[in-house]
Amino acid sequence: MNKIIVVLGIIMISISTFAQTIPFKIQKSELFKDEYKESHIVLSEEDGNGGVLIVRSYERSFSGKRGYYIEHYDSNLKLIKEFDYELKHTGTQKYKFELGVFTMLDNLNIIQVFYDINERAYICLAHCINKNDLNTTQKELFRFTREEIKQYGNFDLSESFFKSFRNDSFLNGDFSSKGNRNTFSLNPFNSKHDTSSSFGNNSGIAIVINKDKNAFSIGIDFNGKKAETLKLYLFDDKLNKKNDLTYSKEIKDSKYIFQNINLSKDGNSIYLLSKSFTPNQKSKEKGGKYQFEITKFNQDKEVTNTFETEEHFIGSLKTITEEDRLICCGFYSDINDSKYKGICYFKLDANSLTLLKTKYNPFSEQFMIDKYGEEKDKELKYLTFKNYLFTKDNELLFNAQEEYSVTSNNTAIGVNSMFINNGSRTYFNYGDIVTVKLSIDGDLVWARNINKKQAYQYDEDESYVSYTASIVEDMPYYFINGGKKIKQLDNNRIEFEDSNKNKSNLYLIRIKNNGEFEFEKVLDDEKNEVPFMVSKGVQLDNSVFFLGSNGSKKQLLKVTL
C-alpha cells in the first residue's frame, strides 16, 4: 500500500509582511520508476469516485519511442490501473506529432498528424483508448494529398513537428507555426519558439475543443502566394465529421493573418479571428495599420464583422467563448505591437458578431509600483499570454509572463589561462508574472505584477520554471519554484529568485478579491527526493497535480486548496 504523506500548509514565512497563512494540504504518492527519463502530465480528470485519471506523455530521444502512460489512482494516490500506449510508426511516416489529447464520452483521444511518403498525403489520425476496458481503436479523420494542397497553397508540418518536442500544450486553437506553441505569443518578435516576423510566412495547424466536450475543430492554414486559405474541420464527440469548409482571402492588396479559432457552447459553430492589413488601414495616421476580423461558421451560414484598434497597437488577441459570451482580449500599446501599456477587451454578440463593448484599460498605479517600485509612464515588453480563468461571477482573469532569450559569447579559460572553447550560450528567461482581473463588462478590477527571475539553458529544465495558475473559490493561485531566499525590494516589494531545479522550494501565491497578494512555502527542497515540474500542473476541482522527476525516479504531488 502506498505511503501517503499529508501535511497541513500552516507554516508562516516571516521574511516579508506579504507572507500569510494559506490553508492547503499536500499528498505525495510513493516514489516510482518508469522506463523513460522524460515524461509530462498532459491530462488529469476525476473518475467520479474521488480518484483521478492521469495521462503522461513520454519519449525516448535516441530510439524515437513515444507514447502515453494512462494511470488511474484512487483518492489516496494509490495506483489501481495503468496502461502504456506506444505510438508506433513506420519509416514512411514523417513529421509525426500529437496535435491534441483529450477525453470525450468514454474515450481518451490522441489526435496525431503526419505525412506519409508512400501515400503522398498528410493524414490526421485519432487513437482512441476506452477508459473502462482500455481497448484501443484508430480512426482516420481526414487526409489531403500534395496535389490537393496545390489548389490552396503550401503546407509544411516540419516546423510544428519540431515545436511539439519543446512543449506539451494542446487545445489552444492558435496556429502554432505562427507563434509560441504554448498558446499564442503576444510578442512574436521575441517569442522563444518563433523567430519569424509577426506577419508570418509559414503554414500552421491548430486544434480546439469546447468546454462542454461535445465538439472539436481542427484548422489548417495554407501559405498561398495569391490568397490566404484556411481549411476547417468540425467533429462531434463520437469523432464524426460535422462540417468541412474552405475559407479563402485574397492578399493582392493586403496581408491577412489567421490568429486563432474557438467553438460555440453547443459545438455547432466555429469562430475564426484574423488580422488584416487593408489599404484603408494602412492610411491611418495613428495606431496600428490593421484591423481585426471575426467570422462565425455553421452549417448553413457565415457571418463576418471587423473592429479597429483606434489609435492603439495590438499584437494579438485571444478569442474566448464562455457560456453565451464572445470576447476578444489581449494587451495593447500606444507605441508599437511589441510593447504593452494595458489590457484591451472587446465584447461581441455571439450570433450577429455585433461589437457591444470596447475597453482599453491601462495598467493600474499599483501594478506599476509592483514592477518598478514607483509609478512610471512606461510600457512593458516580452509578454507572452499563458492562460485565462473565470470566477463564479464571470469575471475574467488573464495571465501572462515576461519571456525572452539572451545569447552571449562565452570563452572558457582553463589551467594556465589556456584557451579551451569559444562559443555562445542561449538562456531562456521566464520573468515576472502579469495577472489582470476584468469585470463582466471589461473594466479593470485589479492588475498585479509578481516579480520573479528564472532562466534555463537546456530544454529538459523548461518544465521546472514558469508557473501554473489555478482558481479556487474565486481566488487565483500561482505555483512557482524559487530559491530559499526571497529578495526584499524597495517599497515593501519582494522578488522570487531563481535556483537550481534540484534546490528549489515550491511556493504558492494567492491574490485576494481586493487585489492584495500573499504567499506560502509549500515544499522545501531538502524534504523532496525529486523536483516538481511547476509549469506542468493540472487542476482538478480544488486540487492541482504535479509530476516530480529525477531521471527515471518519479513522484506525484497533489496540492488541495
Side-chain angles (χ1 to χ4, degrees):
M1 184 173 180
N2 283 10
K3 179 181 178 182
I4 305 300
I5 304 172
V6 181
V7 180
L8 291 178
I10 58 173
I11 303 172
M12 292 290 293
I13 299 178
S14 59
I15 67 171
S16 168
T17 57
F18 284 107
Q20 304 288 331
T21 299
I22 303 175
F24 65 88
K25 70 176 182 179
I26 64 172
Q27 291 175 274
K28 292 181 180 179
S29 71
E30 282 189 333
L31 287 168
F32 59 92
K33 291 186 177 182
D34 54 43
E35 183 181 353
Y36 308 101
K37 181 178 179 180
E38 297 294 330
S39 65
H40 304 288
I41 296 177
V42 296
L43 186 67
S44 176
E45 291 194 347
E46 188 178 14
D47 67 356
N49 298 308
V52 62
L53 176 75
I54 291 178
V55 181
R56 291 188 291 128
S57 66
Y58 66 78
E59 64 179 281
R60 177 177 285 177
S61 56
F62 293 106
S63 67
K65 189 175 181 180
R66 293 167 62 89
Y68 290 84
Y69 290 121
I70 296 94
E71 299 162 327
H72 188 186
Y73 293 86
D74 65 15
S75 59
N76 293 317
L77 292 189
K78 178 183 177 182
L79 182 64
I80 55 179
K81 186 189 295 184
E82 62 181 329
F83 183 62
D84 181 355
Y85 186 74
E86 182 184 350
L87 291 169
K88 297 181 180 180
H89 61 90
T90 67
T92 66
Q93 297 171 350
K94 294 182 61 177
Y95 305 127
K96 177 181 283 190
F97 72 96
E98 290 77 73
L99 186 60
V101 178
F102 54 89
T103 59
M104 278 187 170
L105 301 179
D106 290 328
N107 285 332
L108 170 69
N109 300 308
I110 303 169
I111 309 301
Q112 195 174 58
V113 185
F114 57 88
Y115 177 73
D116 191 291
I117 297 174
N118 288 347
E119 300 285 339
R120 294 180 61 82
Y122 292 92
I123 299 172
C124 184
L125 186 69
H127 301 258
C128 307
I129 305 168
N130 186 279
K131 293 186 292 184
N132 300 317
D133 56 23
L134 299 179
N135 285 333
T136 64
T137 57
Q138 294 182 6
K139 181 176 183 178
E140 183 176 308
L141 299 182
F142 61 83
R143 69 166 59 198
F144 44 88
T145 66
R146 297 187 68 172
E147 292 301 317
E148 291 172 330
I149 292 174
K150 290 180 181 179
Q151 63 181 305
Y152 305 127
N154 299 317
F155 183 69
D156 184 6
L157 274 181
S158 60
E159 187 173 356
S160 296
F161 167 78
F162 288 116
K163 286 176 184 178
S164 71
F165 285 95
R166 299 176 180 172
N167 198 296
D168 283 309
S169 289
F170 300 121
L171 311 178
N172 54 58
D174 301 288
F175 296 100
S176 58
S177 290
K178 294 187 176 180
N180 193 326
R181 183 157 169 78
N182 191 354
T183 63
F184 71 104
S185 172
L186 288 169
N187 186 354
F189 293 102
N190 295 287
S191 169
K192 167 182 173 269
H193 300 310
D194 187 6
T195 57
S196 64
S197 73
S198 62
F199 293 105
N201 294 310
N202 300 311
S203 53
I205 187 167
I207 187 171
V208 64
I209 179 173
N210 67 353
K211 186 177 179 180
D212 289 352
K213 291 189 177 181
N214 55 30
F216 68 97
S217 177
I218 298 174
I220 302 164
D221 181 4
F222 295 96
N223 176 31
K225 294 181 179 180
K226 296 182 179 180
E228 287 287 351
T229 303
L230 185 71
K231 189 77 172 175
L232 287 171
Y233 296 92
L234 182 64
F235 299 91
D236 64 15
D237 51 12
K238 298 181 178 64
L239 308 189
N240 297 315
K241 187 167 64 175
K242 299 174 66 175
N243 203 352
D244 173 357
L245 59 93
T246 302
Y247 183 69
S248 185
K249 279 285 188 176
E250 292 187 7
I251 55 176
K252 179 179 179 182
D253 298 318
S254 63
K255 290 185 178 295
Y256 201 87
I257 302 171
F258 298 122
Q259 289 212 323
N260 51 68
I261 54 175
N262 214 324
L263 296 180
S264 60
K265 179 180 174 63
D266 61 12
N268 292 322
S269 300
I270 305 172
Y271 295 100
L272 167 67
L273 181 68
S274 308
K275 190 175 181 180
S276 60
F277 300 72
T278 65
N280 288 339
Q281 294 298 318
K282 290 177 182 178
S283 65
K284 283 177 60 177
E285 294 183 2
K286 294 182 178 180
K289 298 182 184 299
Y290 44 76
Q291 65 185 11
F292 286 90
E293 180 175 301
I294 188 159
T295 304
K296 179 182 179 181
F297 305 93
N298 56 30
Q299 287 284 1
D300 54 2
K301 64 179 179 179
E302 172 187 316
V303 181
T304 298
N305 192 20
T306 60
F307 52 94
E308 299 184 2
T309 65
E310 301 174 4
E311 72 276 14
H312 307 293
F313 297 85
I314 305 174
S316 297
L317 290 172
K318 180 67 179 175
T319 307
I320 300 170
T321 55
E322 178 68 11
E323 298 300 330
D324 59 347
R325 299 165 67 197
L326 177 61
I327 299 167
C328 294
C329 196
F331 296 112
Y332 77 93
S333 166
D334 285 341
I335 300 175
N336 57 46
D337 280 11
S338 300
K339 293 191 177 180
Y340 311 102
K341 181 178 183 177
I343 188 165
C344 56
Y345 174 98
F346 302 91
K347 182 179 179 181
L348 302 100
D349 183 280
N351 293 314
S352 67
L353 302 186
T354 301
L355 184 62
L356 303 176
K357 282 186 179 172
T358 300
K359 296 281 186 176
Y360 289 93
N361 298 294
F363 290 128
S364 62
E365 177 183 351
Q366 180 61 59
F367 178 90
M368 303 308 286
I369 292 173
D370 287 346
K371 184 156 188 66
Y372 300 110
E374 58 182 311
E375 188 178 9
K376 288 189 175 183
D377 184 17
K378 191 174 183 179
E379 296 197 0
L380 279 68
K381 54 184 178 179
Y382 306 131
L383 287 187
T384 296
F385 166 80
K386 303 302 288 185
N387 73 333
Y388 62 86
L389 305 165
F390 278 99
T391 69
K392 293 179 181 178
D393 295 328
N394 282 323
E395 294 172 308
L396 174 65
L397 290 159
F398 201 75
N399 297 311
Q401 182 174 238
E402 290 181 322
E403 297 185 10
Y404 59 94
S405 61
V406 175
T407 300
S408 60
N409 293 320
N410 296 282
T411 301
I413 305 298
V415 180
N416 298 321
S417 298
M418 291 180 61
F419 175 81
I420 295 180
N421 182 40
N422 184 23
S424 64
R425 293 183 181 180
T426 298
Y427 295 91
F428 302 108
N429 292 267
Y430 282 7
D432 295 355
I433 297 171
V434 172
T435 178
V436 180
K437 185 176 184 179
L438 298 178
S439 73
I440 193 170
D441 292 320
D443 295 315
L444 181 67
V445 179
W446 48 252
R448 297 307 301 256
N449 184 87
I450 300 170
N451 296 281
K452 72 178 179 71
K453 286 184 177 179
Q454 290 180 308
Y456 71 95
Q457 184 180 1
Y458 305 105
D459 282 349
E460 59 264 27
D461 293 333
E462 181 181 8
S463 299
Y464 301 89
V465 296
S466 190
Y467 66 95
T468 286
S470 61
I471 186 169
V472 175
E473 294 183 354
D474 280 358
M475 279 193 280
Y477 293 80
Y478 303 86
F479 293 87
I480 65 171
N481 283 331
K484 291 182 178 298
K485 293 183 179 181
I486 298 177
K487 187 176 181 180
Q488 194 76 40
L489 304 176
D490 58 357
N491 292 325
N492 202 31
R493 298 180 302 138
I494 58 172
E495 181 178 74
F496 295 90
E497 295 194 311
D498 202 1
S499 175
N500 181 286
K501 68 179 182 182
N502 295 311
K503 298 292 183 181
S504 291
N505 296 333
L506 178 63
Y507 293 99
L508 175 62
I509 302 165
R510 178 172 70 177
I511 301 182
K512 297 189 288 186
N513 291 332
N514 61 4
E516 294 180 1
F517 73 85
E518 52 195 1
F519 71 90
E520 187 79 72
K521 182 170 67 173
V522 177
L523 291 174
D524 191 304
D525 80 278
E526 294 180 354
K527 298 180 181 180
N528 292 328
E529 295 191 59
V530 295
F532 291 94
M533 301 180 188
V534 75
S535 69
K536 302 294 184 182
V538 177
Q539 182 175 1
L540 181 61
D541 294 329
N542 63 335
S543 298
V544 182
F545 292 82
F546 298 94
L547 177 67
S549 176
N550 188 354
S552 61
K553 188 187 297 183
K554 306 289 194 308
Q555 189 174 44
L556 281 175
L557 169 68
K558 177 183 179 182
V559 183
T560 302
L561 302 168

